[in-house]
Structure formats: C-alpha cells, structure tokens
C-alpha cells in the first residue's frame, strides 16, 4: 500500500493556509495508515487564521478518521506559524482490491475578524492510495503455481 500525495494550493488571497501531506506511506490491506502533514500560515498573512473545520474523503473500501486533526490541531494560527502532526488516519479494508484510490483533505478556516467563517481561508491536499497485494499473498500464489507446474511435469 502506498499513499502518494499531490498538493493543490488554493487561489491567492490576502490570508491563506498551506497544507502538505508527507508521502509515501506503505501499508497492507487490514492495516491503518497515519497520514502526517504540515499546515503553514504564511508570515505574509495579515492576522491569525482560525482552523474551524475539515473535510475528508476517499472513495473505496476505507475508513477515514480525522480525530487526530480535530483533537490536536491548534484552533488558530498566527502569521508564520507551522503545525506538523498526524492529520488523519486511513484504515484499509482487508477486502480492498488492487487499484488506485483518490481522496482529499481540506481545512476550512476563517480570518481573524470572523472566527466562525469558513471562507475565504481554506486549502486542500489531494492524495492517492495504491492498493497492492500483501507479500504473503504473493508467496501463496507463487507456491500454488509451482505446485501446479510440478503436477503437470509428473504427468508427462
């Protein structure tokens, strides 16, 4: 399992946030991945930015949990502030099939004059989850193929 992150920056505004997710993160079906990221309030911001909410989405056989962000992130960030930590977790279903799954993590915030506003401060980081078979599954398949080849060889 590899999680690759593609960073998208929002349009230029007076105040903003930058969200960066670290990658790659490797896991297997049935495991839980902790996605670490950095949130930066640029020093050019005119005042504090409130981190009011977040949105998280990933299509497919996954369970997403944004509790690390909700419980641990600061409620506001002064100009020049940086926060790095686990932002959310992704639990991969044991039945996850091979493929690429795309998701996003968005932070919604407000300017210093309106701590309840959800705009214009927001930023999104997109990410992909690549599901690959576990090494033990590949070993089992390989062993089975060798057994079939030996049986065919004996018949000849």
């Amino acid at each position: 399992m590899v999680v690759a992150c593609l960073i998208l920056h929002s349009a230029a505004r007076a105040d903003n946030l930058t969200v960066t997710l670290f990658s790659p993160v490797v896991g297997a079906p049935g495991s839980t991945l902790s996605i670490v990221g950095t949130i930066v309030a640029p020093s050019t911001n005119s005042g504090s930015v409130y981190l009011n909410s977040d949105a998280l989405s990933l299509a497919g056989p996954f369970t997403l949990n944004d509790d690390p962000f909700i419980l641990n992130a600061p409620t506001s960030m002064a100009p020049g502030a940086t926060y790095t930590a686990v932002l959310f977790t992704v639990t991969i279903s044991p039945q996850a099939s091979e493929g690429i799954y795309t998701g996003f993590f968005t932070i919604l915030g407000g300017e210093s004059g309106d701590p309840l506003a959800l705009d214009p401060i927001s930023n999104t980081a997109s990410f992909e989850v690549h599901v690959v078979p576990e090494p033990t599954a590949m070993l089992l398949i390989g062993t089975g193929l060798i057994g079939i080849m030996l049986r065919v060889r004996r018949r000849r």
Side-chain angles (χ1 to χ4, degrees):
M1 192 75 44
V2 176
V3 176
C5 299
L6 168 68
I7 307 308
L8 302 176
H9 296 285
S10 60
R13 304 177 227 249
D15 291 335
N16 61 38
L17 295 170
T18 301
V19 181
T20 305
L21 301 178
F22 297 105
S23 67
V25 177
V26 179
S31 66
T32 299
L33 308 175
S34 294
I35 310 301
V36 175
T38 297
I39 305 166
V40 177
S43 58
T44 55
N45 282 355
S46 62
S48 292
V49 174
Y50 290 89
L51 306 182
N52 299 331
S53 182
D54 71 299
L56 183 63
S57 176
L58 177 61
F62 306 99
T63 303
L64 304 172
N65 183 352
D66 64 352
D67 283 350
F69 174 77
I70 298 297
L71 298 174
N72 301 313
T75 57
S76 66
M77 294 181 72
T82 300
Y83 174 74
T84 300
V86 173
L87 297 179
F88 61 96
T89 61
V90 177
T91 302
I92 302 128
S93 168
Q95 291 78 30
S97 59
E98 288 185 63
I100 299 172
Y101 301 88
T102 303
F104 68 88
F105 178 72
T106 300
I107 295 176
L108 305 170
E111 296 181 84
S112 59
D114 186 1
L116 299 178
L118 295 180
D119 282 318
I121 310 302
S122 68
N123 206 322
T124 300
S126 296
F127 60 95
E128 294 179 344
V129 175
H130 298 259
V131 177
V132 295
E134 288 185 71
T136 55
M138 295 302 288
L139 179 64
L140 185 60
I141 290 170
T143 304
L145 289 174
I146 290 171
I148 291 170
M149 289 172 33
L150 289 174
R151 186 170 186 152
V152 168
R153 188 171 179 184
R154 277 188 183 171
R155 285 187 179 178
R156 289 184 185 174

